[in-house]
């Protein structure tokens, strides 16, 4: 085996982060497009234009979400089990909303009835907006700690409720998530559609970009001044057999800033988030949508890594029993499991990137109303 256990634990923290970023940049774009569908498309032809910009790609993009879920299950099984216990109804809500996407994409245009198509347009809106909001709310609750504990057999027990997840800070985090993904989708539509949809999309890039900048800044101030963080005080050696009950954790003010003060280079992440958002808005306004899409992707990466760097090594902190918090060093699978998964990832991630790049290259064009009008046989 090439890597020792400690290194593998850290590698898998990085890899899960990469998968979440890949999901946000690709499938998050589809969610943003779905969120904007009822507002940017003024008639059925324009809405079909919007759908056809993501229709050939959305299912391939969703591979990132499925892969991230599988990676969490295999690399951090206790996190997977505890999250489904604590966030059960929230996850079901996101899952049920996601059901509208495959059905909406495949069946919307099968019947010409305007009421049928309008209903599926709003279904695609729900399939885009609700998961984006729920995922942000989940991150907001992680930063505050989740009320759970482990028994002597490491079985998780959640003591909170669904409506407790809908606290003000978590809702603000949901706004950040919804705003950044909607902006990302708007940039994509500005790049891939012709007028007048492209100009309308540019307006939404500015609106959602500025709103996300404000929400992200407010969340940072709130997290710094109003929310206590978690800090590991003592634990076994980092390469020891995983034991979530073998450490001491304290809750303290400013604790979420510990990594930023200890490793100042991590400040690049929030700066990247703000800079990417600002550049996306400016480049979109200058009608440089291709560059704006790249800036938007950097913004998503910076925002996600800002939360990840603040929390590391915590994955799921416990607000009621801090010592039971799940962290990157003790919530993992065995060394053999992590090693096998590492090599599987090393093989398949390049394949995913390769076929994703190939499909985007082959289907790259601006979708126009004239094309949709002339080719009624199109699937979407």
């Amino acid at each position: 085996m090439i890597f020792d256990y400690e290194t593998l634990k850290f590698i898998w923290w990085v890899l899960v982060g990469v998968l979440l970023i890949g999901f946000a940049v690709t499938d998050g774009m589809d969610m943003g497009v779905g969120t904007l569908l009822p507002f940017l498309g003024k008639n059925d032809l324009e809405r079909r234009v919007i759908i056809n910009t993501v229709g050939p790609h959305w299912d391939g993009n969703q591979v990132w979400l499925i892969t991230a879920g599988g990676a969490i299950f295999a690399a951090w099984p206790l996190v997977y089990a505890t999250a489904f216990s604590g966030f059960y109804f929230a996850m079901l809500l996101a899952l049920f909303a996601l059901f509208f996407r495959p059905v909406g994409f495949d069946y919307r245009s099968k019947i010409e009835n305007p009421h049928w198509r309008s209903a599926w347009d709003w279904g695609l809106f729900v399939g885009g907006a609700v998961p984006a909001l729920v995922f942000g709310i989940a991150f907001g609750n992680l930063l505050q700690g989740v009320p759970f504990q482990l028994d002597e057999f490491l079985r998780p027990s959640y003591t909170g409720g669904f409506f407790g997840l809908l606290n003000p800070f978590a809702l603000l985090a949901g706004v950040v998530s919804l705003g950044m993904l909607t902006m990302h989708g708007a940039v994509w539509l500005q790049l891939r559609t012709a007028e007048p949809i492209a100009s309308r999309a540019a307006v939404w890039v500015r609106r959602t970009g500025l709103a996300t900048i404000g929400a992200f800044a407010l969340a940072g101030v709130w997290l710094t001044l109003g929310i206590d963080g978690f800090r590991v005080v003592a634990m076994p050696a980092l390469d020891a057999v995983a034991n979530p009950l073998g450490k001491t954790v304290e809750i303290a003010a400013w604790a979420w800033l510990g990594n930023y003060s200890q490793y100042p280079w991590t400040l690049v992440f929030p700066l990247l988030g703000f800079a990417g958002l600002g550049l996306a808005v400016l480049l979109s306004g200058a009608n440089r949508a291709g560059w704006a899409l790249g800036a938007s992707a950097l913004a998503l990466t910076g925002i996600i890594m800002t939360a990840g760097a603040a929390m590391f090594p915590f994955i799921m902190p416990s607000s009621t029993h801090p010592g039971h918090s799940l962290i990157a060093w003790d919530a993992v699978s065995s060394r053999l499991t992590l090693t096998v998964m590492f090599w599987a990832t090393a093989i398949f991630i390049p394949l995913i990137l390769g076929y994703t790049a190939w499909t985007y290259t082959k289907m790259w064009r601006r979708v126009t109303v004239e094309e949709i009008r002339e080719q009624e046989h199109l699937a979407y």
Side-chain angles (χ1 to χ4, degrees):
M1 296 183 181
I2 297 178
F3 303 111
D4 58 41
Y5 199 17
E6 177 184 345
T7 303
L8 281 169
K9 291 175 181 180
F10 179 74
I11 286 173
W12 271 101
W13 182 83
V14 173
L15 287 176
V16 171
V18 169
L19 292 172
L20 292 176
I21 291 170
F23 161 67
V25 171
T26 57
D27 206 30
M29 176 182 67
D30 303 338
M31 291 181 180
V33 170
T35 302
L36 292 170
L37 176 63
F39 309 106
L40 292 186
K42 302 303 182 182
N43 54 54
D44 181 64
L45 283 174
E46 290 185 353
R47 292 183 180 184
R48 288 189 68 190
V49 167
I50 292 171
I51 291 172
N52 272 274
T53 65
V54 295
H57 306 293
W58 75 269
D59 46 357
N61 292 340
Q62 197 152 288
V63 168
W64 290 95
L65 175 61
I66 297 169
T67 305
I72 292 172
F73 171 75
W76 302 334
L78 197 52
V79 173
Y80 188 90
T82 307
F84 267 92
S85 175
F87 299 154
Y88 184 75
F89 289 107
M91 288 187 173
L92 280 182
L93 178 62
L95 182 62
F96 289 154
L98 287 171
F99 287 165
F100 285 104
R101 300 178 70 206
V103 183
F105 282 124
D106 288 340
Y107 288 101
R108 178 198 181 275
S109 297
K110 301 298 184 184
I111 299 176
E112 294 188 8
N113 185 290
H115 299 293
W116 168 270
R117 293 188 174 185
S118 178
W120 284 117
D121 290 339
W122 285 103
L124 290 171
F125 165 81
V126 171
V130 172
L133 186 65
V134 169
F135 294 149
I137 289 173
F139 265 98
N141 279 281
L142 290 177
L143 286 164
Q144 298 173 91
V146 181
F148 75 91
Q149 64 186 68
L150 305 172
D151 64 16
E152 65 272 22
F153 300 107
L154 301 184
R155 294 176 299 191
S157 176
Y158 179 70
T159 56
F162 171 75
F163 291 103
L165 299 175
L166 305 179
N167 57 79
F169 178 78
L171 291 173
L172 177 60
V175 170
V176 173
S177 174
L178 178 60
M180 70 181 190
L181 296 185
T182 304
M183 182 198 72
H184 197 50
V187 176
W188 173 255
L189 289 175
Q190 184 183 3
L191 178 64
R192 291 293 311 279
T193 62
E195 297 295 346
I197 300 173
S199 293
R200 296 178 199 148
V203 172
W204 278 92
V205 173
R206 183 174 66 253
R207 290 174 179 173
T208 54
L210 294 177
T212 305
I213 290 173
F216 186 41
L218 179 58
V221 172
W222 194 338
L223 187 68
T224 301
L225 302 179
I227 296 177
D228 293 338
F230 292 74
R231 178 188 302 133
V232 177
V233 178
M235 67 173 297
L238 300 184
D239 60 352
V241 175
N243 177 19
L245 301 179
K247 62 181 177 297
T248 303
V249 175
E250 67 176 8
I251 300 177
W254 309 89
W256 285 144
L257 301 181
N259 286 332
Y260 290 110
S261 60
Q262 186 174 0
Y263 307 103
W265 63 268
T266 55
L267 290 170
V268 71
F269 298 132
L271 293 176
L272 184 63
F274 283 115
L277 291 170
L279 283 173
V281 172
L282 292 174
L283 290 167
S284 170
N287 201 28
R288 302 297 298 272
W291 288 100
L293 186 67
S296 178
L298 291 176
L300 268 59
T301 301
I303 291 172
I304 293 172
M305 287 306 300
T306 295
M311 290 184 62
F312 183 81
F314 288 90
I315 303 169
M316 196 169 185
S318 171
S319 58
T320 53
H321 293 74
H324 295 191
S325 298
L326 304 178
I327 67 175
W329 308 122
D330 63 17
V332 297
S333 294
S334 68
R335 182 181 178 185
L336 177 60
T337 300
L338 297 183
T339 301
V340 172
M341 288 177 53
F342 170 80
W343 289 113
T345 301
I347 294 171
F348 288 106
I349 288 295
L351 292 177
I352 294 173
L353 291 173
Y355 83 67
T356 299
W358 182 82
T359 56
Y360 276 93
T361 300
K362 288 296 183 180
M363 300 180 190
W364 191 264
R365 72 189 190 284
R366 282 187 183 270
V367 185
T368 65
V369 170
E370 290 72 22
E371 175 186 351
I372 300 300
R373 184 183 290 117
E374 293 172 1
Q375 301 185 45
E376 285 294 326
H377 65 278
L378 289 174
Y380 305 106

